[in-house]
Amino acid sequence: MSQLGVGVIGAGMMGEVHAHLIAERIGSARVVAVSDPDGDRRRRVAESVGAAEVSDPLDVISDPEVQAVIIASPDQSHAEYAIASVHANKPCLCEKPLATTADDARAVVEAESAGGRRLVQVGFMREFDEGHASLVTLRDSGALGEVVAVRSTHINPAPWAPGVSAERVITQSMIHDIHSARFLVGSEVIAVSAVSVPFGDGAEGVDEGAVRFVTARLEMAGGAVALLDVNVASSYGYRVVAEIVGSEATARSAEGSAVEMWTSGAMVSAVSANWPDHFSAAYLTEVSAWVQAACGGGVTGPSAWDGYMANLVASALVEAEASGGRVELPTLSVPALYRG
Ligand SMILES: NC(=O)c1ccc[n+]([C@@H]2O[C@H](COP(=O)([O-])OP(=O)(O)OC[C@H]3O[C@@H](n4cnc5c(N)ncnc54)[C@H](O)[C@@H]3O)[C@@H](O)[C@H]2O)c1
């Protein structure tokens, strides 16, 4: 059977992770083209996976050898490339967020809906993480009873840029937790509020206005609440813990290493250094599922609609954090393409 030809747009950290998963772990696909405005990165990643270097990302999408596209360029370029992939009738795995504004995300939804076929999968890979997926399985089994609350704790080792404002924490990092809240509760967000904790004035290595912690409260349709927090600078490593509080039982994703050690006065377990190692299995499962779906001409997992909803909630949270108030979300009817 011939392999699926994949084009990768953006040869930074995430593009390289995806390109290598395909080249080294997924037999049914191969990387045929890599594009990045940074010539050194483009060349290094293209050479490492035996793909052609392409300078214009749009040429990757139109390349007849490219049957499916991975979009791993910066956030502000996602919507344009996702729409170009839809117009070319090629399935894409578009890294989160789908867009930087809800209007741009809606434009992707509209382009896809006009074609009548799902071609965009958004890189909310926690749906493919064993812990998160097991929570959904438990919830659906009825063992937890009614979902009362979801908690998501998202801990980064250090700021990923010097000026990490509350807006950036919400739109770039907490957007994962927003999607988790929607799929763990199984309903939409109806209202939000948020507060942040700034770094102290003059803190080393951060710009004025940078925050070190953001906590959000999402009121969900049906009455449950989702409590999300992002710690920007734990100083010790990376963790994500998700919990469903049910009326009959509470379940939480397990963390740490396969082995725990008890030593003098302490119990020791591993903590990931950062997201690539914490979620390495989830990325592989995500890309494998995407390739399998793309071989059939479609996509699976988080949809453009999910991406749009996450952008809408993120915008509301940015507004709520800035005003200190409670912001309500509009009730939207889900287009036919995304139902069921
Ligand atoms: N799913 C996840 O867990 C996860 C984790 C990290 C990053 N991301 C997302 O992946 C994307 C890439 O993040 P990253 O950490 O790899 O960033 P990065 O900065 O390491 O890489 C981005 C690359 O895109 C290139 N680029 C810049 N403008 C471009 C354009 N217009 N077209 C094509 N390429 C362009 C840059 O030269 C760079 O090589 C971001 O959208 C980010 O939010 C997702």
Side-chain angles (χ1 to χ4, degrees), residues 9-16 18 35-39 41-42 55 57 71-78 80-81 95-97 123-126 171-172 176 238 275-276 279 283 286:
I9 297 178
M13 272 183 83
M14 210 59 231
E16 190 167 12
H18 289 318
S35 184
D36 195 296
D38 181 325
R41 285 189 183 189
R42 182 174 74 222
S55 48
I71 302 168
S73 46
D75 301 0
Q76 63 275 17
S77 60
H78 292 179
E80 178 195 354
Y81 298 145
E95 264 310 335
K96 49 55 64 175
F124 288 128
M125 79 299 170
R126 290 189 195 168
T171 58
Q172 297 185 325
H176 274 299
Y238 183 91
W275 48 266
F279 280 119
Y283 293 123
E286 173 194 47

mmCIF file of all heavy atoms in Angstrom, residues 9-16 18 35-39 41-42 55 57 71-78 80-81 95-97 123-126 171-172 176 238 275-276 279 283 286, ligand 1:
data_model
loop_
_atom_site.group_PDB
_atom_site.id
_atom_site.type_symbol
_atom_site.label_atom_id
_atom_site.label_comp_id
_atom_site.label_asym_id
_atom_site.label_seq_id
_atom_site.Cartn_x
_atom_site.Cartn_y
_atom_site.Cartn_z
ATOM 1 N N ILE A 9 4.171 22.359 7.612
ATOM 2 C CA ILE A 9 4.358 23.818 7.566
ATOM 3 C C ILE A 9 4.779 24.288 8.957
ATOM 4 O O ILE A 9 4.017 24.140 9.917
ATOM 5 C CB ILE A 9 3.050 24.515 7.130
ATOM 6 C CG1 ILE A 9 2.674 24.083 5.715
ATOM 7 C CG2 ILE A 9 3.203 26.023 7.222
ATOM 8 C CD1 ILE A 9 1.365 24.682 5.218
ATOM 9 N N GLY A 10 5.983 24.840 9.037
ATOM 10 C CA GLY A 10 6.527 25.259 10.330
ATOM 11 C C GLY A 10 7.439 24.175 10.856
ATOM 12 O O GLY A 10 6.981 23.098 11.234
ATOM 13 N N ALA A 11 8.751 24.469 10.833
ATOM 14 C CA ALA A 11 9.729 23.455 11.238
ATOM 15 C C ALA A 11 10.378 23.816 12.572
ATOM 16 O O ALA A 11 11.568 23.615 12.784
ATOM 17 C CB ALA A 11 10.784 23.291 10.144
ATOM 18 N N GLY A 12 9.556 24.368 13.486
ATOM 19 C CA GLY A 12 10.048 24.659 14.834
ATOM 20 C C GLY A 12 9.890 23.431 15.710
ATOM 21 O O GLY A 12 9.869 22.293 15.219
ATOM 22 N N MET A 13 9.722 23.652 17.010
ATOM 23 C CA MET A 13 9.666 22.517 17.949
ATOM 24 C C MET A 13 8.563 21.528 17.596
ATOM 25 O O MET A 13 8.778 20.331 17.499
ATOM 26 C CB MET A 13 9.428 23.041 19.371
ATOM 27 C CG MET A 13 10.705 23.385 20.079
ATOM 28 S SD MET A 13 10.380 23.903 21.760
ATOM 29 C CE MET A 13 10.261 22.326 22.576
ATOM 30 N N MET A 14 7.349 22.072 17.402
ATOM 31 C CA MET A 14 6.201 21.173 17.209
ATOM 32 C C MET A 14 6.232 20.519 15.829
ATOM 33 O O MET A 14 5.913 19.342 15.685
ATOM 34 C CB MET A 14 4.922 22.008 17.400
ATOM 35 C CG MET A 14 3.771 21.256 17.932
ATOM 36 S SD MET A 14 4.107 20.499 19.522
ATOM 37 C CE MET A 14 3.601 18.846 19.168
ATOM 38 N N GLY A 15 6.633 21.308 14.791
ATOM 39 C CA GLY A 15 6.717 20.742 13.445
ATOM 40 C C GLY A 15 7.729 19.610 13.405
ATOM 41 O O GLY A 15 7.515 18.575 12.763
ATOM 42 N N GLU A 16 8.824 19.795 14.127
ATOM 43 C CA GLU A 16 9.871 18.764 14.152
ATOM 44 C C GLU A 16 9.371 17.508 14.878
ATOM 45 O O GLU A 16 9.604 16.389 14.425
ATOM 46 C CB GLU A 16 11.121 19.331 14.840
ATOM 47 C CG GLU A 16 12.316 18.436 14.699
ATOM 48 C CD GLU A 16 13.621 19.110 15.096
ATOM 49 O OE1 GLU A 16 13.595 20.202 15.687
ATOM 50 O OE2 GLU A 16 14.675 18.514 14.806
ATOM 51 N N HIS A 18 6.260 16.445 15.112
ATOM 52 C CA HIS A 18 5.313 15.741 14.227
ATOM 53 C C HIS A 18 6.048 15.079 13.049
ATOM 54 O O HIS A 18 5.744 13.938 12.681
ATOM 55 C CB HIS A 18 4.264 16.715 13.692
ATOM 56 C CG HIS A 18 3.268 17.180 14.722
ATOM 57 N ND1 HIS A 18 2.705 16.333 15.655
ATOM 58 C CD2 HIS A 18 2.706 18.400 14.953
ATOM 59 C CE1 HIS A 18 1.860 17.022 16.418
ATOM 60 N NE2 HIS A 18 1.846 18.281 16.021
ATOM 61 N N SER A 35 8.171 23.205 5.027
ATOM 62 C CA SER A 35 8.330 24.635 4.751
ATOM 63 C C SER A 35 8.519 25.415 6.041
ATOM 64 O O SER A 35 7.906 25.094 7.070
ATOM 65 C CB SER A 35 7.084 25.161 4.026
ATOM 66 O OG SER A 35 7.282 26.513 3.689
ATOM 67 N N ASP A 36 9.381 26.423 5.993
ATOM 68 C CA ASP A 36 9.594 27.332 7.124
ATOM 69 C C ASP A 36 10.344 28.531 6.566
ATOM 70 O O ASP A 36 11.250 28.357 5.746
ATOM 71 C CB ASP A 36 10.441 26.636 8.219
ATOM 72 C CG ASP A 36 10.387 27.378 9.548
ATOM 73 O OD1 ASP A 36 10.869 28.539 9.602
ATOM 74 O OD2 ASP A 36 9.851 26.819 10.520
ATOM 75 N N PRO A 37 9.990 29.751 6.955
ATOM 76 C CA PRO A 37 10.734 30.916 6.456
ATOM 77 C C PRO A 37 12.188 30.919 6.915
ATOM 78 O O PRO A 37 13.041 31.540 6.285
ATOM 79 C CB PRO A 37 9.971 32.119 7.038
ATOM 80 C CG PRO A 37 9.008 31.589 8.023
ATOM 81 C CD PRO A 37 8.859 30.129 7.803
ATOM 82 N N ASP A 38 12.474 30.212 8.008
ATOM 83 C CA ASP A 38 13.846 30.104 8.490
ATOM 84 C C ASP A 38 14.523 28.963 7.716
ATOM 85 O O ASP A 38 14.244 27.779 7.930
ATOM 86 C CB ASP A 38 13.806 29.805 9.998
ATOM 87 C CG ASP A 38 15.191 29.693 10.610
ATOM 88 O OD1 ASP A 38 16.112 29.193 9.933
ATOM 89 O OD2 ASP A 38 15.351 30.094 11.775
ATOM 90 N N GLY A 39 15.426 29.365 6.773
ATOM 91 C CA GLY A 39 16.041 28.392 5.863
ATOM 92 C C GLY A 39 16.813 27.297 6.582
ATOM 93 O O GLY A 39 16.806 26.143 6.155
ATOM 94 N N ARG A 41 16.317 26.029 9.654
ATOM 95 C CA ARG A 41 15.392 25.068 10.277
ATOM 96 C C ARG A 41 14.744 24.191 9.220
ATOM 97 O O ARG A 41 14.615 22.984 9.375
ATOM 98 C CB ARG A 41 14.275 25.806 11.017
ATOM 99 C CG ARG A 41 14.714 26.416 12.305
ATOM 100 C CD ARG A 41 13.496 26.921 13.035
ATOM 101 N NE ARG A 41 13.900 27.593 14.258
ATOM 102 C CZ ARG A 41 13.053 27.989 15.185
ATOM 103 N NH1 ARG A 41 11.766 27.810 15.033
ATOM 104 N NH2 ARG A 41 13.482 28.586 16.270
ATOM 105 N N ARG A 42 14.308 24.861 8.149
ATOM 106 C CA ARG A 42 13.623 24.136 7.060
ATOM 107 C C ARG A 42 14.523 23.033 6.519
ATOM 108 O O ARG A 42 14.117 21.887 6.375
ATOM 109 C CB ARG A 42 13.296 25.159 5.966
ATOM 110 C CG ARG A 42 12.558 24.637 4.786
ATOM 111 C CD ARG A 42 12.178 25.772 3.877
ATOM 112 N NE ARG A 42 13.285 26.322 3.128
ATOM 113 C CZ ARG A 42 13.503 27.632 2.928
ATOM 114 N NH1 ARG A 42 12.694 28.531 3.444
ATOM 115 N NH2 ARG A 42 14.532 28.045 2.219
ATOM 116 N N SER A 55 9.935 26.785 0.036
ATOM 117 C CA SER A 55 10.007 28.066 0.747
ATOM 118 C C SER A 55 8.640 28.678 1.019
ATOM 119 O O SER A 55 8.419 29.259 2.079
ATOM 120 C CB SER A 55 10.935 29.057 0.031
ATOM 121 O OG SER A 55 10.631 29.088 -1.330
ATOM 122 N N PRO A 57 4.908 28.285 2.149
ATOM 123 C CA PRO A 57 4.027 27.276 2.775
ATOM 124 C C PRO A 57 2.815 26.935 1.910
ATOM 125 O O PRO A 57 2.355 25.781 1.921
ATOM 126 C CB PRO A 57 3.574 27.950 4.069
ATOM 127 C CG PRO A 57 4.576 29.002 4.343
ATOM 128 C CD PRO A 57 5.132 29.442 3.037
ATOM 129 N N ILE A 71 0.017 21.692 10.146
ATOM 130 C CA ILE A 71 0.241 23.136 10.317
ATOM 131 C C ILE A 71 0.823 23.356 11.715
ATOM 132 O O ILE A 71 0.118 23.214 12.723
ATOM 133 C CB ILE A 71 -1.081 23.910 10.132
ATOM 134 C CG1 ILE A 71 -1.665 23.627 8.748
ATOM 135 C CG2 ILE A 71 -0.854 25.412 10.343
ATOM 136 C CD1 ILE A 71 -3.110 24.100 8.561
ATOM 137 N N ALA A 72 2.109 23.653 11.757
ATOM 138 C CA ALA A 72 2.791 23.840 13.045
ATOM 139 C C ALA A 72 3.563 25.159 13.036
ATOM 140 O O ALA A 72 4.623 25.282 13.635
ATOM 141 C CB ALA A 72 3.711 22.660 13.329
ATOM 142 N N SER A 73 3.009 26.129 12.335
ATOM 143 C CA SER A 73 3.585 27.474 12.267
ATOM 144 C C SER A 73 3.005 28.301 13.421
ATOM 145 O O SER A 73 2.143 27.813 14.164
ATOM 146 C CB SER A 73 3.230 28.077 10.904
ATOM 147 O OG SER A 73 1.863 27.858 10.620
ATOM 148 N N PRO A 74 3.418 29.566 13.584
ATOM 149 C CA PRO A 74 2.875 30.362 14.702
ATOM 150 C C PRO A 74 1.355 30.547 14.605
ATOM 151 O O PRO A 74 0.766 30.522 13.516
ATOM 152 C CB PRO A 74 3.614 31.700 14.554
ATOM 153 C CG PRO A 74 4.893 31.345 13.853
ATOM 154 C CD PRO A 74 4.520 30.251 12.894
ATOM 155 N N ASP A 75 0.771 30.788 15.771
ATOM 156 C CA ASP A 75 -0.698 30.830 15.912
ATOM 157 C C ASP A 75 -1.385 31.694 14.847
ATOM 158 O O ASP A 75 -2.422 31.314 14.298
ATOM 159 C CB ASP A 75 -1.086 31.400 17.294
ATOM 160 C CG ASP A 75 -0.533 30.586 18.447
ATOM 161 O OD1 ASP A 75 0.148 29.570 18.198
ATOM 162 O OD2 ASP A 75 -0.780 30.975 19.604
ATOM 163 N N GLN A 76 -0.822 32.877 14.582
ATOM 164 C CA GLN A 76 -1.515 33.840 13.711
ATOM 165 C C GLN A 76 -1.603 33.376 12.255
ATOM 166 O O GLN A 76 -2.370 33.947 11.474
ATOM 167 C CB GLN A 76 -0.869 35.240 13.801
ATOM 168 C CG GLN A 76 0.563 35.335 13.347
ATOM 169 C CD GLN A 76 1.573 34.977 14.450
ATOM 170 O OE1 GLN A 76 1.218 34.367 15.461
ATOM 171 N NE2 GLN A 76 2.828 35.341 14.238
ATOM 172 N N SER A 77 -0.856 32.323 11.891
ATOM 173 C CA SER A 77 -0.901 31.836 10.500
ATOM 174 C C SER A 77 -1.840 30.624 10.344
ATOM 175 O O SER A 77 -2.105 30.188 9.218
ATOM 176 C CB SER A 77 0.515 31.446 10.039
ATOM 177 O OG SER A 77 1.038 30.416 10.866
ATOM 178 N N HIS A 78 -2.360 30.077 11.442
ATOM 179 C CA HIS A 78 -3.110 28.812 11.359
ATOM 180 C C HIS A 78 -4.353 28.891 10.488
ATOM 181 O O HIS A 78 -4.596 28.011 9.650
ATOM 182 C CB HIS A 78 -3.516 28.337 12.761
ATOM 183 C CG HIS A 78 -2.360 27.917 13.616
ATOM 184 N ND1 HIS A 78 -2.504 27.478 14.913
ATOM 185 C CD2 HIS A 78 -1.026 27.860 13.367
ATOM 186 C CE1 HIS A 78 -1.318 27.176 15.419
ATOM 187 N NE2 HIS A 78 -0.402 27.413 14.495
ATOM 188 N N GLU A 80 -5.286 30.852 8.059
ATOM 189 C CA GLU A 80 -5.039 30.967 6.611
ATOM 190 C C GLU A 80 -4.667 29.603 6.010
ATOM 191 O O GLU A 80 -5.205 29.195 4.972
ATOM 192 C CB GLU A 80 -3.897 31.971 6.350
ATOM 193 C CG GLU A 80 -3.561 32.107 4.869
ATOM 194 C CD GLU A 80 -2.228 32.803 4.597
ATOM 195 O OE1 GLU A 80 -1.582 33.291 5.552
ATOM 196 O OE2 GLU A 80 -1.836 32.850 3.404
ATOM 197 N N TYR A 81 -3.760 28.886 6.668
ATOM 198 C CA TYR A 81 -3.317 27.599 6.112
ATOM 199 C C TYR A 81 -4.413 26.534 6.218
ATOM 200 O O TYR A 81 -4.532 25.667 5.344
ATOM 201 C CB TYR A 81 -2.036 27.124 6.802
ATOM 202 C CG TYR A 81 -0.850 28.056 6.621
ATOM 203 C CD1 TYR A 81 0.093 28.230 7.631
ATOM 204 C CD2 TYR A 81 -0.668 28.769 5.433
ATOM 205 C CE1 TYR A 81 1.188 29.085 7.475
ATOM 206 C CE2 TYR A 81 0.418 29.636 5.271
ATOM 207 C CZ TYR A 81 1.337 29.792 6.294
ATOM 208 O OH TYR A 81 2.401 30.631 6.129
ATOM 209 N N GLU A 95 -2.199 22.779 14.448
ATOM 210 C CA GLU A 95 -1.865 22.971 15.861
ATOM 211 C C GLU A 95 -2.814 23.970 16.514
ATOM 212 O O GLU A 95 -3.399 24.822 15.849
ATOM 213 C CB GLU A 95 -0.400 23.435 16.013
ATOM 214 C CG GLU A 95 0.563 22.303 16.289
ATOM 215 C CD GLU A 95 0.095 21.400 17.435
ATOM 216 O OE1 GLU A 95 -0.662 21.850 18.293
ATOM 217 O OE2 GLU A 95 0.481 20.225 17.453
ATOM 218 N N LYS A 96 -2.962 23.840 17.838
ATOM 219 C CA LYS A 96 -3.791 24.792 18.581
ATOM 220 C C LYS A 96 -3.066 26.122 18.677
ATOM 221 O O LYS A 96 -1.835 26.106 18.650
ATOM 222 C CB LYS A 96 -4.175 24.274 19.961
ATOM 223 C CG LYS A 96 -3.068 23.711 20.836
ATOM 224 C CD LYS A 96 -1.844 24.489 21.165
ATOM 225 C CE LYS A 96 -1.927 25.747 21.962
ATOM 226 N NZ LYS A 96 -0.570 26.323 22.282
ATOM 227 N N PRO A 97 -3.731 27.239 18.801
ATOM 228 C CA PRO A 97 -5.169 27.416 18.630
ATOM 229 C C PRO A 97 -5.515 27.423 17.150
ATOM 230 O O PRO A 97 -4.656 27.693 16.312
ATOM 231 C CB PRO A 97 -5.413 28.798 19.250
ATOM 232 C CG PRO A 97 -4.127 29.546 19.006
ATOM 233 C CD PRO A 97 -3.034 28.520 19.088
ATOM 234 N N GLY A 123 -5.086 20.501 17.002
ATOM 235 C CA GLY A 123 -4.102 19.781 17.817
ATOM 236 C C GLY A 123 -4.323 19.835 19.320
ATOM 237 O O GLY A 123 -3.361 20.004 20.084
ATOM 238 N N PHE A 124 -5.571 19.682 19.756
ATOM 239 C CA PHE A 124 -5.852 19.528 21.194
ATOM 240 C C PHE A 124 -5.593 18.067 21.538
ATOM 241 O O PHE A 124 -6.524 17.250 21.656
ATOM 242 C CB PHE A 124 -7.303 19.904 21.503
ATOM 243 C CG PHE A 124 -7.602 21.376 21.415
ATOM 244 C CD1 PHE A 124 -8.665 21.843 20.651
ATOM 245 C CD2 PHE A 124 -6.840 22.305 22.117
ATOM 246 C CE1 PHE A 124 -8.960 23.196 20.582
ATOM 247 C CE2 PHE A 124 -7.127 23.660 22.055
ATOM 248 C CZ PHE A 124 -8.192 24.113 21.285
ATOM 249 N N MET A 125 -4.310 17.734 21.712
ATOM 250 C CA MET A 125 -3.935 16.317 21.771
ATOM 251 C C MET A 125 -4.311 15.635 23.082
ATOM 252 O O MET A 125 -4.182 14.418 23.199
ATOM 253 C CB MET A 125 -2.437 16.166 21.496
ATOM 254 C CG MET A 125 -1.535 16.484 22.640
ATOM 255 S SD MET A 125 -1.708 18.187 23.173
ATOM 256 C CE MET A 125 -0.793 18.164 24.673
ATOM 257 N N ARG A 126 -4.803 16.422 24.071
ATOM 258 C CA ARG A 126 -5.159 15.754 25.334
ATOM 259 C C ARG A 126 -6.294 14.753 25.138
ATOM 260 O O ARG A 126 -6.434 13.834 25.931
ATOM 261 C CB ARG A 126 -5.548 16.790 26.382
ATOM 262 C CG ARG A 126 -4.355 17.594 26.839
ATOM 263 C CD ARG A 126 -4.732 18.442 28.006
ATOM 264 N NE ARG A 126 -3.746 19.464 28.253
ATOM 265 C CZ ARG A 126 -3.933 20.480 29.055
ATOM 266 N NH1 ARG A 126 -5.091 20.625 29.684
ATOM 267 N NH2 ARG A 126 -2.977 21.376 29.233
ATOM 268 N N THR A 171 -4.809 32.505 25.891
ATOM 269 C CA THR A 171 -5.015 32.134 24.481
ATOM 270 C C THR A 171 -4.003 31.101 23.982
ATOM 271 O O THR A 171 -4.282 30.379 23.024
ATOM 272 C CB THR A 171 -4.954 33.379 23.568
ATOM 273 O OG1 THR A 171 -3.679 34.017 23.748
ATOM 274 C CG2 THR A 171 -6.059 34.358 23.886
ATOM 275 N N GLN A 172 -2.829 31.018 24.628
ATOM 276 C CA GLN A 172 -1.815 30.082 24.127
ATOM 277 C C GLN A 172 -1.692 28.811 24.976
ATOM 278 O O GLN A 172 -1.325 27.761 24.453
ATOM 279 C CB GLN A 172 -0.442 30.766 24.069
ATOM 280 C CG GLN A 172 -0.417 31.938 23.095
ATOM 281 C CD GLN A 172 0.964 32.554 22.945
ATOM 282 O OE1 GLN A 172 1.730 32.622 23.903
ATOM 283 N NE2 GLN A 172 1.278 33.004 21.751
ATOM 284 N N HIS A 176 -5.765 24.910 25.964
ATOM 285 C CA HIS A 176 -5.815 23.440 26.096
ATOM 286 C C HIS A 176 -6.815 23.047 27.194
ATOM 287 O O HIS A 176 -7.589 22.105 27.039
ATOM 288 C CB HIS A 176 -4.444 22.897 26.530
ATOM 289 C CG HIS A 176 -3.486 22.625 25.412
ATOM 290 N ND1 HIS A 176 -3.733 21.715 24.417
ATOM 291 C CD2 HIS A 176 -2.241 23.118 25.152
ATOM 292 C CE1 HIS A 176 -2.689 21.655 23.586
ATOM 293 N NE2 HIS A 176 -1.776 22.505 24.010
ATOM 294 N N TYR A 238 7.013 20.302 34.508
ATOM 295 C CA TYR A 238 5.735 20.405 33.778
ATOM 296 C C TYR A 238 4.783 19.330 34.273
ATOM 297 O O TYR A 238 5.163 18.163 34.414
ATOM 298 C CB TYR A 238 6.011 20.211 32.280
ATOM 299 C CG TYR A 238 4.789 20.366 31.403
ATOM 300 C CD1 TYR A 238 4.460 21.602 30.866
ATOM 301 C CD2 TYR A 238 3.962 19.281 31.129
ATOM 302 C CE1 TYR A 238 3.331 21.756 30.071
ATOM 303 C CE2 TYR A 238 2.831 19.426 30.333
ATOM 304 C CZ TYR A 238 2.524 20.660 29.809
ATOM 305 O OH TYR A 238 1.411 20.825 29.030
ATOM 306 N N TRP A 275 6.535 19.951 28.185
ATOM 307 C CA TRP A 275 5.432 19.271 27.495
ATOM 308 C C TRP A 275 5.852 18.190 26.506
ATOM 309 O O TRP A 275 5.142 17.189 26.375
ATOM 310 C CB TRP A 275 4.497 20.289 26.819
ATOM 311 C CG TRP A 275 5.189 21.344 25.996
ATOM 312 C CD1 TRP A 275 5.566 22.586 26.418
ATOM 313 C CD2 TRP A 275 5.592 21.259 24.630
ATOM 314 N NE1 TRP A 275 6.189 23.281 25.406
ATOM 315 C CE2 TRP A 275 6.220 22.489 24.298
ATOM 316 C CE3 TRP A 275 5.492 20.269 23.658
ATOM 317 C CZ2 TRP A 275 6.735 22.744 23.032
ATOM 318 C CZ3 TRP A 275 6.011 20.532 22.396
ATOM 319 C CH2 TRP A 275 6.627 21.745 22.099
ATOM 320 N N PRO A 276 6.993 18.299 25.781
ATOM 321 C CA PRO A 276 7.253 17.240 24.793
ATOM 322 C C PRO A 276 7.392 15.869 25.428
ATOM 323 O O PRO A 276 6.911 14.868 24.871
ATOM 324 C CB PRO A 276 8.569 17.669 24.127
ATOM 325 C CG PRO A 276 8.649 19.145 24.344
ATOM 326 C CD PRO A 276 8.028 19.361 25.699
ATOM 327 N N PHE A 279 3.767 14.667 27.222
ATOM 328 C CA PHE A 279 2.695 14.215 26.323
ATOM 329 C C PHE A 279 3.225 13.424 25.121
ATOM 330 O O PHE A 279 2.538 13.325 24.106
ATOM 331 C CB PHE A 279 1.876 15.424 25.843
ATOM 332 C CG PHE A 279 0.863 15.895 26.870
ATOM 333 C CD1 PHE A 279 0.931 17.167 27.403
ATOM 334 C CD2 PHE A 279 -0.151 15.052 27.304
ATOM 335 C CE1 PHE A 279 0.007 17.599 28.349
ATOM 336 C CE2 PHE A 279 -1.082 15.470 28.250
ATOM 337 C CZ PHE A 279 -1.004 16.751 28.775
ATOM 338 N N TYR A 283 1.041 12.630 21.682
ATOM 339 C CA TYR A 283 1.342 13.138 20.329
ATOM 340 C C TYR A 283 1.385 11.984 19.325
ATOM 341 O O TYR A 283 0.881 12.102 18.211
ATOM 342 C CB TYR A 283 2.673 13.908 20.299
ATOM 343 C CG TYR A 283 2.654 15.206 21.076
ATOM 344 C CD1 TYR A 283 3.560 15.447 22.102
ATOM 345 C CD2 TYR A 283 1.728 16.202 20.785
ATOM 346 C CE1 TYR A 283 3.541 16.624 22.828
ATOM 347 C CE2 TYR A 283 1.702 17.384 21.509
ATOM 348 C CZ TYR A 283 2.608 17.593 22.521
ATOM 349 O OH TYR A 283 2.582 18.777 23.233
ATOM 350 N N GLU A 286 -2.139 10.827 18.717
ATOM 351 C CA GLU A 286 -2.842 11.856 17.933
ATOM 352 C C GLU A 286 -2.460 11.777 16.453
ATOM 353 O O GLU A 286 -3.326 11.721 15.568
ATOM 354 C CB GLU A 286 -2.466 13.243 18.475
ATOM 355 C CG GLU A 286 -2.989 14.410 17.642
ATOM 356 C CD GLU A 286 -2.326 15.733 18.010
ATOM 357 O OE1 GLU A 286 -1.072 15.789 18.132
ATOM 358 O OE2 GLU A 286 -3.045 16.726 18.172
HETATM 359 N N1 LIG B 1 -0.238 20.837 20.970
HETATM 360 C C1 LIG B 1 0.712 21.236 21.785
HETATM 361 O O1 LIG B 1 0.902 20.681 22.860
HETATM 362 C C2 LIG B 1 1.621 22.363 21.385
HETATM 363 C C3 LIG B 1 2.824 22.559 22.060
HETATM 364 C C4 LIG B 1 3.646 23.604 21.643
HETATM 365 C C5 LIG B 1 3.267 24.435 20.612
HETATM 366 N N2 LIG B 1 2.077 24.221 19.995
HETATM 367 C C6 LIG B 1 1.636 25.083 18.876
HETATM 368 O O2 LIG B 1 2.420 24.721 17.745
HETATM 369 C C7 LIG B 1 2.714 25.871 16.952
HETATM 370 C C8 LIG B 1 4.219 25.972 16.771
HETATM 371 O O3 LIG B 1 4.798 26.097 18.048
HETATM 372 P P1 LIG B 1 6.352 25.811 18.266
HETATM 373 O O4 LIG B 1 6.558 25.681 19.738
HETATM 374 O O5 LIG B 1 6.812 24.721 17.388
HETATM 375 O O6 LIG B 1 6.965 27.213 17.794
HETATM 376 P P2 LIG B 1 8.394 27.483 17.148
HETATM 377 O O7 LIG B 1 8.607 28.939 17.274
HETATM 378 O O8 LIG B 1 9.398 26.542 17.714
HETATM 379 O O9 LIG B 1 8.188 27.108 15.600
HETATM 380 C C9 LIG B 1 7.404 27.837 14.714
HETATM 381 C C10 LIG B 1 8.084 27.786 13.358
HETATM 382 O O10 LIG B 1 7.225 28.390 12.371
HETATM 383 C C11 LIG B 1 8.042 29.183 11.514
HETATM 384 N N3 LIG B 1 7.198 30.220 10.912
HETATM 385 C C12 LIG B 1 7.087 31.524 11.260
HETATM 386 N N4 LIG B 1 6.177 32.140 10.472
HETATM 387 C C13 LIG B 1 5.711 31.196 9.608
HETATM 388 C C14 LIG B 1 4.755 31.207 8.573
HETATM 389 N N5 LIG B 1 4.048 32.306 8.287
HETATM 390 N N6 LIG B 1 4.543 30.076 7.879
HETATM 391 C C15 LIG B 1 5.226 28.943 8.179
HETATM 392 N N7 LIG B 1 6.123 28.863 9.161
HETATM 393 C C16 LIG B 1 6.368 29.973 9.885
HETATM 394 C C17 LIG B 1 9.143 29.717 12.399
HETATM 395 O O11 LIG B 1 10.281 30.088 11.636
HETATM 396 C C18 LIG B 1 9.397 28.525 13.322
HETATM 397 O O12 LIG B 1 10.409 27.673 12.797
HETATM 398 C C19 LIG B 1 2.113 27.062 17.710
HETATM 399 O O13 LIG B 1 0.895 27.411 17.137
HETATM 400 C C20 LIG B 1 1.912 26.554 19.121
HETATM 401 O O14 LIG B 1 0.817 27.162 19.781
HETATM 402 C C21 LIG B 1 1.257 23.200 20.343
#
